[in-house]
Amino acid sequence: MTANFVESKRQEFINALVGVRPRERFKVVVVDVRSLKLLNRVLKLSEILEHDVARIEKIENNRKDDPSIEALYFLTPSKQSVDTLIADFGGASSAQPRGPGGQPGGRPNRPKYRAAHVFFTSELPDQLLARVKKSGITQHMKALKELCI
């Protein structure tokens, strides 16, 4: 990557970090494996944390619920990442286990975080956007943007 390209992508990530200002000041950054690699190419951990980030969590890991804090998601637009995002906010997703009578299992209507600020690293395909809209989690979303990194 050229220096100018890296700097422009670095600035996009920083703008997203700075632009999310929850009322309780701190936020959680949630990433998937691919977006974490991109993030690590352009920013140091210390640079991320200096923007009022309490912690960085991998979306693929089992994370504890923390409904007192807002989350900034940097995600690759994949079915797995979108399904996990949906599950984080108690939305209907085919990835959720089904309980008796075919009802979604897990934690319906119980969000993992107070709100979501979602940034995809590239264009979100229409079918995945439709999946997000249909899930019912948009009420928990404060932002949904494509960074195209």
Side-chain angles (χ1 to χ4, degrees):
M1 287 191 262
T2 67
N4 287 341
F5 178 78
V6 171
E7 182 55 32
S8 73
K9 298 309 164 188
R10 179 181 179 285
Q11 198 56 52
E12 284 186 59
F13 276 121
I14 289 174
N15 289 345
L17 287 166
V18 170
V20 174
R21 295 185 187 157
R23 67 176 180 227
E24 66 280 339
R25 181 175 172 198
F26 290 99
K27 57 194 165 255
V28 173
V29 171
V30 181
V31 295
D32 58 26
V33 171
R34 292 174 69 194
S35 63
L36 180 59
K37 287 179 185 176
L38 286 171
L39 197 55
N40 284 336
R41 284 185 178 172
V42 297
L43 285 173
K44 295 176 186 171
L45 177 62
S46 60
E47 291 177 298
I48 296 168
L49 295 175
E50 72 186 26
H51 294 286
D52 297 328
V53 173
R55 63 187 177 274
I56 301 170
E57 300 179 334
K58 292 182 182 174
I59 198 166
E60 298 88 356
N61 293 352
N62 187 16
R63 296 162 285 122
K64 70 176 185 117
D65 291 0
D66 192 349
S68 68
I69 197 165
E70 293 185 14
L72 187 158
Y73 287 79
F74 284 123
L75 301 174
T76 333
S78 68
K79 182 181 179 302
Q80 179 184 5
S81 291
V82 168
D83 281 349
T84 308
L85 168 68
I86 291 168
D88 281 358
F89 289 90
S93 166
S94 62
Q96 286 185 303
R98 298 286 170 175
Q103 295 299 313
R107 339 175 275 63
N109 300 323
R110 188 169 153 219
K112 187 174 285 291
Y113 306 106
R114 177 177 288 168
H117 304 261
V118 184
F119 295 84
F120 286 101
T121 58
S122 60
E123 185 177 339
L124 183 66
D126 290 342
Q127 68 269 26
L128 291 178
L129 178 59
R131 193 177 192 86
V132 169
K133 289 179 179 178
K134 185 179 176 186
S135 72
I137 68 161
T138 54
Q139 66 186 356
H140 301 289
M141 297 175 77
K142 291 193 172 183
L144 177 65
K145 297 181 181 179
E146 298 166 333
L147 295 178
C148 298
I149 295 177

